[in-house]
Amino acid sequence: MESREIEVAGWRKVVHISDKASGLDAIIAVHDATLGPACGGCRVRPYATFAAALDDVTRLSRGMTYKNALGGIPFGGGKAVIIADPKTQKSPEMMRAFGRAVDSLGGLYYTAEDSGVTEHDMEIVRSVTKYVAGIANKGSGGNPSPFTARGVWRGVQAAAKARLGAASLKDARVAILGVGAVGMSLAELLHEEGARLVVADVNDAAVREAVKRFDAVAVLPDECVGADVDVFSPCALGGAINADTIGRLRATIVAGAANNQLATPEMDKALYDRGVLYAPDYVINAAGVISVGLEILNQWSHEELTRRIDAIGPRLAAIFERSARDRRPTGEIADEMALDVIAKAKRAA
Ligand code: NAD
């Protein structure tokens, strides 16, 4: 196995690992480790170029620094990418080699699942390193989607209170783009609270299920952003808010599970200028990594996790308040608060 360090200004450590025997071609990026060891998932994707993989892993690892800092867990930001097609090229040998690469960092980075990686893959990684989480064990951890949905639900409640003065989501109108693992669980929670739902997905079966179970109104994916609702909840892929869609938005709240909901950083201010309250994605969707963090700390219990997920609502409320007071976009405020947590920890060290 060959390991080569790549200098990236502002990053604690970035390593390129290649292993001929297993075909592993991976990058592990540790953005910041001030709060503790870096923690973030491993993504398997057939990147077109090495530069594209490096760009993704650095961007994602920086995002994890912010997410973990505001998630209230003592971990820095890191991420790994494996350049391979998860359907045709991923193999147990490759995951074992990846595990050895993680292990060689001596605990600077903890890995877990991300897209293209299953819990079974992480079991294989665990056979060669202890620096891994996201594996169900004695009722803890495992599939984070229901947890993420609960965090988003708490976030939608906080946003509705701040923007609409609503004490509950009864009769609130919410459009969910993407009723997959998180979106469907979110729909259930919202429906139970009496919200009226609009749903869209490229998967017709998922749409039919949501219509049947939650009395939701189905629209085409392209129409979802323009639905006449109070809350637009992106729960599919990233980039739902972009130069094309922002003008069609009728909701006054954007609050959903998807990572990188804003196609470009400028969308943060653009939403603010239009009077739309945006719940920063890495704050509202942090429940999964909070669960992983508790698992690593050996502090996972359903009660503790629920308590921490429910704190996402008040955390967002604080961001909304500061945004209103300072007349600045919520994403900007969240970044500032995350950097503040890290700066305080640096001073205390
Ligand atoms: P998922 O794959 O189960 O669900 C995504 C859904 O979006 C699917 O039903 C899919 O058919 C649909 N979809 C895909 N492209 C679409 C399009 N163009 N238009 C409409 N629908 C489309 O994924 P998930 O686990 O529910 O995650 C949803 C989002 O939340 C992702 O962006 C993910 O990165 C993010 N997220 C998930 C978690 C988690 O715990 N699962 C945690 C944090 C963030």
Side-chain angles (χ1 to χ4, degrees):
M1 177 150 27
E2 277 176 45
S3 175
R4 173 176 70 94
E5 209 160 313
I6 306 170
E7 281 298 322
V8 181
W11 266 252
R12 166 78 185 265
K13 197 179 191 108
V14 181
V15 277
H16 176 207
I17 301 114
S18 31
D19 178 56
K20 281 214 176 69
S22 65
L24 176 73
D25 188 10
I27 311 173
I28 299 176
V30 172
H31 174 248
D32 192 276
T34 307
L35 299 177
C39 170
C42 167
R43 183 173 277 195
V44 178
R45 222 175 127 174
Y47 292 96
T49 61
F50 181 79
L54 182 62
D55 184 60
D56 207 30
V57 77
T58 46
R59 208 172 38 84
L60 291 166
S61 59
R62 184 180 49 205
M64 289 312 297
T65 298
Y66 289 69
K67 187 184 273 208
N68 294 344
L70 280 197
I73 52 171
F75 292 96
K79 204 89 185 182
V81 295
I82 297 177
I83 306 168
D85 186 326
K87 290 203 182 83
T88 57
Q89 294 172 308
K90 191 176 70 176
S91 67
E93 293 71 35
M94 188 182 278
M95 294 316 294
R96 253 190 299 278
F98 172 69
R100 286 197 300 275
V102 170
D103 202 62
S104 72
L105 295 178
L108 179 65
Y109 166 68
Y110 277 82
T111 197
E113 296 95 337
D114 197 272
S115 62
V117 173
T118 63
E119 202 171 324
H120 176 64
D121 294 326
M122 283 299 134
E123 291 279 5
I124 297 170
V125 171
R126 188 165 64 176
S127 69
V128 289
T129 184
K130 59 182 178 188
Y131 305 120
V132 54
I135 300 167
N137 182 27
K138 296 184 208 121
S140 82
N143 175 15
S145 307
F147 309 140
T148 303
R150 184 180 177 94
V152 175
W153 171 55
R154 290 304 197 196
V156 172
Q157 285 176 327
K161 192 163 178 214
R163 176 50 38 100
L164 312 170
S168 94
L169 294 174
K170 180 156 177 19
D171 290 329
R173 299 163 307 159
V174 184
I176 305 176
L177 177 61
V179 269
V182 180
M184 193 68 84
S185 292
L186 173 66
E188 185 170 6
L189 291 165
L190 292 169
H191 176 68
E192 277 169 10
E193 204 183 344
R196 288 184 280 145
L197 303 179
V198 171
V199 294
D201 199 298
V202 287
N203 177 351
D204 290 338
V207 171
R208 278 198 300 275
E209 183 184 335
V211 167
K212 193 164 165 221
R213 287 176 60 196
F214 314 124
D215 213 12
V217 173
V219 294
L220 293 172
D222 194 41
E223 291 168 358
C224 194
V225 73
D228 185 12
V229 290
D230 304 301
V231 183
F232 173 57
S233 185
C235 293
L237 308 173
I241 303 295
N242 55 50
D244 168 48
T245 57
I246 194 165
R248 291 189 273 137
L249 194 62
R250 289 166 85 183
T252 53
I253 292 168
V254 172
N259 281 313
N260 302 322
Q261 288 168 36
L262 310 184
T264 58
E266 294 74 40
M267 290 297 131
D268 185 29
K269 182 160 187 317
L271 285 173
Y272 178 80
D273 289 345
R274 284 167 189 268
V276 177
L277 186 65
Y278 164 59
D281 48 12
Y282 66 80
V283 182
I284 195 170
N285 73 13
V289 82
I290 294 173
S291 172
V292 162
L294 289 176
E295 202 183 317
I296 296 170
L297 295 169
N298 235 337
Q299 290 174 5
W300 202 101
S301 73
H302 213 274
E303 297 69 38
E304 180 58 14
L305 180 63
T306 304
R307 191 183 68 74
R308 290 188 184 232
I309 292 174
D310 289 350
I312 288 175
R315 190 167 299 129
L316 281 167
I319 292 170
F320 299 152
E321 262 170 51
R322 197 150 132 191
S323 160
R325 191 192 65 205
D326 298 356
R327 299 176 191 223
R328 287 194 296 136
T330 50
E332 201 178 298
I333 301 283
D335 287 359
E336 207 171 270
M337 284 166 83
L339 289 173
D340 215 39
V341 170
I342 295 162
K344 274 203 185 100
K346 272 201 174 114
R347 281 198 297 275

